[in-house]
Amino acid sequence: QVQPVESGGGLVQAGESLRLSCAASGRDREAESWFRQAPGKEREIVAGISWSGTRFYYADFVKGRFTISRDDAKNTMYLQMNSLEPEDTAVYFCAAAYSRDPWAVPVDAGKYDSWGQGTQVTVSS
């Protein structure tokens, strides 16, 4: 496996939940994050976890609603999304970035060199 593979997207109504999964490469010393991109907007970070697994980053617009987690045994990262809103509609990508800092979560997309194909999340009102 040379790149992550996302799954779990779909069409839901506002207030419902989805869980996204990302089958990662399993390489060491990589922070892993979820990004999203809506039509007409730049790609933005949603949530991330440091390669040590001890530090987390959440964008302000998802705090309290989304939870990022990682299962090292399965080389899988998850994004649990609750209380979804129409504004969450976007293509969601998982990405990995090599990091010398075991507690860092890069927030710039340019720092990530391994990307999944993306999975569509659509939230209707």
Side-chain angles (χ1 to χ4, degrees):
Q1 185 174 330
V2 298
Q3 65 185 49
V5 179
E6 306 98 332
S7 62
L11 173 63
V12 298
Q13 293 182 308
E16 296 183 340
S17 300
L18 283 173
R19 178 183 286 265
L20 305 183
S21 298
C22 174
S25 68
R27 293 177 296 182
D28 292 335
R29 298 182 180 273
E30 286 190 322
E32 293 180 294
S33 296
W34 290 95
F35 288 78
R36 72 184 188 186
Q37 187 166 20
K41 296 184 178 180
E42 294 186 355
R43 190 169 299 187
E44 61 185 353
I45 191 168
V46 178
I49 183 170
S50 65
W51 67 257
S52 68
T54 61
R55 296 291 185 271
F56 303 89
Y57 173 86
Y58 290 98
D60 288 341
F61 53 82
V62 302
K63 286 182 178 178
R65 299 188 297 125
F66 293 5
T67 302
I68 189 170
S69 62
R70 190 179 72 197
D71 186 332
D72 291 336
K74 297 181 179 180
N75 291 325
T76 302
M77 182 176 63
Y78 303 95
L79 184 67
Q80 177 67 45
M81 304 186 294
N82 298 327
S83 301
L84 283 162
E85 304 168 353
E87 292 76 15
D88 297 317
T89 296
V91 177
Y92 284 71
F93 302 87
C94 62
Y98 173 81
S99 178
R100 298 175 64 183
D101 186 345
W103 306 286
V105 179
V107 299
D108 296 327
K111 295 293 185 179
Y112 293 79
D113 61 358
S114 182
W115 292 85
Q117 80 286 353
T119 184
Q120 177 71 43
V121 172
T122 302
V123 185
S124 65
S125 60

